[in-house]
Amino acid sequence: MNRKILIVTGDGGESYETLYAVHRFQEEGDTAVIAAPSKRRLNLVMHDFEPGWDTYVERPGYCLASDLTIEDVVVDDYDAILLLGGRAPEYLRNHAALLEVVREFDRQGKWVFAICHGIQILVTAGLANNRNLTAYEHVRAEIEMGGGTYSTEQAIRDRNMVTGQTWQSHPEFYREVFACLKEAELVDK
């Protein structure tokens, strides 16, 4: 309750993952802050599976305004970071300031949450090494090349990180996310 959660996405971010996260944290009485490469209205997308397709299809999703730029993030102001999936991580993982923000969350022992393709940012930040992680199945090779172990669990916790496979993993992922946040509150008391 009254925690401040940094949610990172950008154009091409998964619409359902973004809105679900914002609403779920708000439901718990937390403040959800959206960070992106620029402060503006973001174009989110929806990924789904269609019969006859070997991979997912992408359609325009809802739009959502970012609250601040990644460069404006002050890690000390937040209790946790959430890296969302969609297509955004394929370019966000090249954002030097974001990689440093994610590393700083980890250095401080704060919670680092990632779902679906958001794990690509963790891997690029060098945080997959010696970790058990899960993600969308086609990110498996990146996890393993980054020194991590891929899990087929819907959601998995490894120390201060929780990762989830896809938006279909929301129940398992957010159960683990909120268990971790509540655990941290008990330790702080």
Side-chain angles (χ1 to χ4, degrees):
M1 303 288 178
N2 293 322
R3 296 167 295 230
K4 198 170 178 184
I5 312 299
L6 183 68
I7 300 174
V8 178
T9 193
D11 285 328
E14 173 59 51
S15 183
Y16 184 60
E17 288 176 14
T18 305
L19 293 173
Y20 189 93
V22 168
H23 294 153
R24 189 65 189 89
F25 285 116
Q26 289 173 343
E27 182 181 51
E28 290 292 320
D30 298 327
T31 301
V33 178
I34 303 289
S38 58
K39 185 177 175 182
R40 63 177 175 76
R41 187 175 162 115
L42 302 172
N43 298 294
L44 304 176
V45 299
M46 294 181 294
H47 289 147
D48 208 351
F49 296 91
E50 295 287 341
W53 283 68
D54 292 329
T55 187
Y56 52 83
V57 296
E58 181 175 289
R59 295 183 179 91
Y62 291 104
C63 292
L64 184 70
S66 57
D67 298 304
L68 75 161
T69 69
I70 293 164
E71 285 83 3
D72 292 332
V73 170
V74 177
V75 174
D76 292 340
D77 292 348
Y78 299 92
D79 298 290
I81 187 171
L82 170 57
L83 306 170
L84 296 174
R87 202 167 19 86
E90 75 186 40
Y91 70 89
L92 289 174
R93 65 182 167 181
N94 298 302
H95 196 293
L98 174 58
L99 298 177
E100 188 50 38
V101 163
V102 174
R103 289 181 195 117
E104 186 58 28
F105 268 90
D106 187 56
R107 276 193 290 273
Q108 290 187 25
K110 292 187 174 195
W111 294 110
V112 177
F113 307 130
I115 191 164
C116 200
H117 284 80
I119 287 82
Q120 291 175 312
I121 298 166
L122 292 180
V123 172
T124 306
L127 300 179
N129 195 37
N130 296 317
R131 300 261 191 173
N132 292 312
L133 304 170
T134 193
Y136 175 61
E137 63 188 349
H138 293 156
V139 181
R140 178 183 186 149
E142 291 176 60
I143 290 171
E144 292 172 347
M145 287 187 295
T149 301
Y150 179 78
S151 170
T152 58
E153 298 293 320
Q154 290 296 310
I156 189 167
R157 175 182 174 183
D158 188 319
R159 292 170 273 173
N160 65 318
M161 283 186 194
V162 176
T163 54
Q165 285 194 8
T166 69
W167 56 261
Q168 294 164 322
S169 309
H170 279 164
E172 297 87 354
F173 180 70
Y174 282 99
R175 265 195 296 275
E176 193 63 40
V177 163
F178 285 104
C180 291
L181 291 171
K182 288 175 182 160
E183 178 183 302
E185 282 182 348
L186 295 174
V187 170
D188 290 341
K189 286 184 180 184

